[in-house]
Amino acid sequence: MIKTEYGNFDGDRWEDVCQIVFKRRYENDSYFEIPATPGDYGIEGFTRSGKAFQCYCPDEHYSSSELYEKQRNKITKDLNKLKTFESQLSKKLGGALIKQWFFVTPMNSKNDLVDHCTKKRDEVKSWELSIIDNSTFEVIPADIGFLKPEIHQLLKISERKIDIIPSKITTDEIKFQWIDKKISLVENAQRKHKARFESGTKGIEKKVDILTEKSVSHFLEGNDILKKWQSDYPEDYEKFIKIISQVEEQVVEECMFPNKDNNTLHKMFSTMVEAKIKDAFPYLDQTMIQNLCNQVMADWILRCPIDFE
């Protein structure tokens, strides 16, 4: 089972989702599913216009090199079946020629996979199979983005929550490089986190440093999520920006007045942001909602909207 922004998948669930997407997208292009029984012929579906599809989901998360090896071997094995089962496939294709063979997998391992697909394309063409259109044939690696927007619609129907995760973890090296370049913002965060403590709190400097580093991590990882959200769901992203801008105006006004307990005020802002996001985007996973909330709070701490009197 592997985790993606669209939920967890194993081989069976991945193939089920792919088949639903293919049937919807290519409904007017005569899509045919090829069941795995009585034989696996190297494709799991095709259209009369020449698109063929093979699905693959790894059983678990592998390193990039391990995943590449498994995907490379899967592609090689399944393309060889085109030659082995040429006559059987010819009957199923009904005269159609395969122009594009898609390898649909949750994530591509390495750029080397593209090189392997190019190599295998040329090899398949050299076989001069009766079921292949040699003038246009391509082997195409397709990641989970290939299933958009249909997979998004399926998630809404099935009530499966979306959870966009950061593309990479913020390491200490990345964090401290950012801190060195953004000294004024870091000083803002240190001053505001310090104001959350009562005067004379023991070990306050160390606690402020820990909170400041957390703010930086939340800001960087949250920005990564927002960048992907903006790319995949631009309308939702614009809605998010408008909502947060409105809440920010309330925060700025609230911070103009003296307050005896700044940490409670900080918690109140965080709760308000989380509630706004949850109400506006009920199809987001709680983990993503919390990550977005953390990003907003970190942004306000590093810049000026939250400024305790």
Side-chain angles (χ1 to χ4, degrees):
M1 188 76 74
I2 66 165
K3 182 179 181 180
T4 76
E5 64 191 86
Y6 296 106
N8 298 328
F9 291 95
D10 56 17
D12 290 339
R13 173 163 171 72
W14 178 249
E15 184 176 340
D16 288 345
V17 170
C18 286
Q19 290 293 352
I20 293 172
V21 170
F22 298 156
K23 289 171 183 174
R24 287 189 176 196
R25 183 179 300 176
Y26 303 112
E27 182 180 5
N28 297 324
D29 198 16
S30 301
Y31 176 78
F32 291 85
E33 177 181 357
I34 298 184
T37 56
D40 178 359
Y41 300 127
I43 62 174
E44 290 170 334
F46 68 94
T47 68
R48 293 293 191 203
S49 62
K51 293 182 174 66
F53 305 93
Q54 179 61 281
C55 310
Y56 170 71
C57 180
D59 297 326
E60 57 186 276
H61 284 282
Y62 295 108
S63 68
S64 178
S65 297
E66 289 174 326
L67 180 58
Y68 166 69
E69 185 175 339
K70 291 183 179 297
Q71 291 178 329
R72 180 198 62 194
N73 293 344
K74 175 68 174 172
I75 289 172
T76 298
K77 180 181 177 182
D78 287 328
L79 285 174
N80 283 339
K81 291 178 181 176
L82 300 182
K83 181 166 62 174
T84 303
F85 299 109
E86 180 182 7
S87 61
Q88 291 93 330
L89 282 169
S90 179
K91 294 178 183 176
K92 297 186 182 304
L93 291 168
L97 299 180
I98 299 176
K99 299 176 180 178
Q100 295 172 307
W101 186 90
F102 291 89
F103 181 70
V104 188
T105 186
M107 61 200 74
N108 290 333
S109 52
K110 305 171 66 173
N111 288 335
D112 290 348
L113 195 67
V114 176
D115 298 341
H116 183 68
C117 288
T118 301
K119 175 185 172 184
K120 298 307 295 185
R121 175 202 65 184
D122 295 340
E123 185 177 336
V124 171
K125 292 171 74 171
S126 73
W127 297 337
E128 297 186 345
L129 301 177
S130 62
I131 58 174
I132 299 296
D133 183 344
N134 263 11
S135 64
T136 60
F137 183 69
E138 291 286 350
V139 176
I140 302 173
D143 64 16
I144 198 168
F146 181 74
L147 303 180
K148 298 174 186 173
E150 289 88 349
I151 192 171
H152 186 202
Q153 296 165 351
L154 288 174
L155 287 169
K156 284 187 173 180
I157 293 172
S158 67
E159 297 184 350
R160 183 176 291 276
K161 306 285 187 176
I162 294 176
D163 183 15
I164 299 176
I165 56 178
S167 59
K168 58 184 177 184
I169 301 298
T170 303
T171 63
D172 286 345
E173 182 181 2
I174 293 173
K175 186 166 53 185
F176 291 126
Q177 284 178 352
W178 190 89
I179 288 174
D180 287 342
K181 294 178 182 176
K182 305 290 183 181
I183 294 298
S184 62
L185 297 182
V186 173
E187 289 175 345
N188 279 342
Q190 290 172 327
R191 175 174 55 80
K192 295 172 188 176
H193 282 311
K194 189 172 184 177
R196 295 170 60 188
F197 291 93
E198 293 182 2
S199 178
T201 298
K202 188 177 180 180
I204 187 171
E205 297 301 331
K206 184 176 181 180
K207 292 176 181 176
V208 166
D209 286 343
I210 291 172
L211 290 173
T212 300
E213 287 186 25
K214 284 183 67 174
S215 290
V216 172
S217 295
H218 290 161
F219 179 72
L220 295 176
E221 292 176 2
N223 283 351
D224 197 27
I225 292 172
L226 286 178
K227 185 177 179 182
K228 193 165 178 49
W229 203 23
Q230 181 182 20
S231 172
D232 293 347
Y233 310 101
E235 292 182 2
D236 288 351
Y237 171 79
E238 293 300 326
K239 180 180 176 183
F240 170 79
I241 294 299
K242 287 180 182 177
I243 291 171
I244 296 305
S245 295
Q246 291 174 345
V247 179
E248 184 175 312
E249 290 182 10
Q250 293 179 250
V251 168
V252 170
E253 185 174 330
E254 191 69 36
C255 288
M256 291 179 181
F257 299 91
N259 184 69
K260 293 181 179 179
D261 187 346
N262 290 326
N263 193 45
T264 298
L265 189 62
H266 181 277
K267 289 180 181 176
M268 186 190 81
F269 291 154
S270 179
T271 301
M272 181 167 60
V273 171
E274 182 178 345
K276 291 284 186 181
I277 297 173
K278 189 177 292 186
D279 182 59
F281 308 101
Y283 53 86
L284 296 183
D285 187 88
Q286 179 58 36
T287 302
M288 182 171 169
I289 291 173
Q290 187 60 58
N291 285 333
L292 291 174
C293 180
N294 290 341
Q295 190 278 341
V296 171
M297 293 301 295
D299 179 45
W300 288 348
I301 285 287
L302 290 163
R303 293 188 297 113
C304 293
I306 291 181
D307 200 0
F308 303 121
E309 288 288 330

